[in-house]
Amino acid sequence: LDKAIDGIRTTCLDLIPSFLMQYGLLKSLEDYLGHAQQIGDVQVEVESQIQEEALASFPKQDQLNTYRICLEILNNIFKHAQCSALKMATYLKDNSITIMMSHNGQGVSNEEMDTYTDNSKGLGLKSLKARALILNATITYTKEIPFSSITLTIPYHHE
């Protein structure tokens, strides 16, 4: 599973600009999850209440940062949560884009993530934090049974 995740990560990072530019943020995330489901033992469900056209004025650089945040979160879920089911839901609410990733694996709390980030020698968690700051976004970790979740909320003033 780790090799599959690394392979998906490498492939997607190489293809991000062209695929993202051509198909948009939501389709890119859905495509990534489709590939992850084919390779791994995780049932994936995607629910979007956002039409791609609604993101027309969402800057491409912000979409790219959002995409990379989501990939890092998803890779962490696949690698560490030991889940068998994952659901990603996207919606616009209160002038924000919300992307919620719920799974039936081992969850983490906000406090635990702060500790992991502070003590991490790797770049993954630190890049999550840095990209969220760039977007003025928040990442909220909820540890519950049977489904834990990670919610990314990005300010977005759409028409």
Side-chain angles (χ1 to χ4, degrees):
L1 185 58
D2 287 341
K3 286 181 182 181
I5 290 169
D6 287 340
I8 290 170
R9 176 185 281 169
T10 301
T11 301
C12 288
L13 289 175
D14 290 341
L15 297 175
I16 287 171
S18 62
F19 194 85
L20 184 66
M21 297 304 163
Q22 186 172 2
Y23 296 104
L25 175 63
L26 301 176
K27 180 68 176 163
S28 297
L29 289 171
E30 188 174 330
D31 185 66
Y32 174 79
L33 286 171
H35 288 294
Q37 180 172 290
Q38 289 175 351
I39 293 172
D41 292 330
V42 179
Q43 280 299 113
V44 175
E45 181 183 345
V46 177
E47 178 185 299
S48 182
Q49 297 178 10
I50 304 173
Q51 299 298 318
E52 195 70 51
E53 299 79 37
L55 298 181
S57 62
F58 191 42
K60 290 294 183 185
Q61 186 62 46
D62 290 352
Q63 289 188 46
L64 179 59
N65 280 323
T66 301
Y67 183 75
R68 287 186 172 154
I69 288 171
C70 289
L71 285 191
E72 190 62 40
I73 290 170
L74 289 166
N75 284 324
N76 288 340
I77 290 170
F78 293 143
K79 188 173 182 179
H80 301 292
Q82 302 167 348
C83 65
S84 61
L86 179 129
K87 178 180 179 181
M88 184 180 77
T90 61
Y91 49 93
L92 289 172
K93 180 181 175 186
D94 301 327
N95 290 321
S96 295
I97 297 168
T98 300
I99 302 171
M100 179 184 277
M101 292 157 267
S102 303
H103 61 86
N104 66 346
Q106 182 178 350
V108 296
S109 66
N110 285 323
E111 294 78 20
E112 289 171 317
M113 276 314 288
D114 288 341
T115 301
Y116 293 147
T117 302
D118 292 342
N119 296 328
S120 174
K121 293 183 174 135
L123 296 176
L125 295 177
K126 289 176 176 54
S127 75
L128 272 178
K129 196 171 187 176
R131 285 194 171 103
L133 283 172
I134 289 169
L135 294 170
N136 198 28
T138 59
I139 303 173
T140 306
Y141 300 87
T142 307
K143 184 177 184 176
E144 294 181 0
I145 296 174
F147 284 91
S148 294
S149 65
I150 302 170
T151 304
L152 174 64
T153 306
I154 306 145
Y156 174 61
H157 303 287
H158 61 283
E159 298 176 17

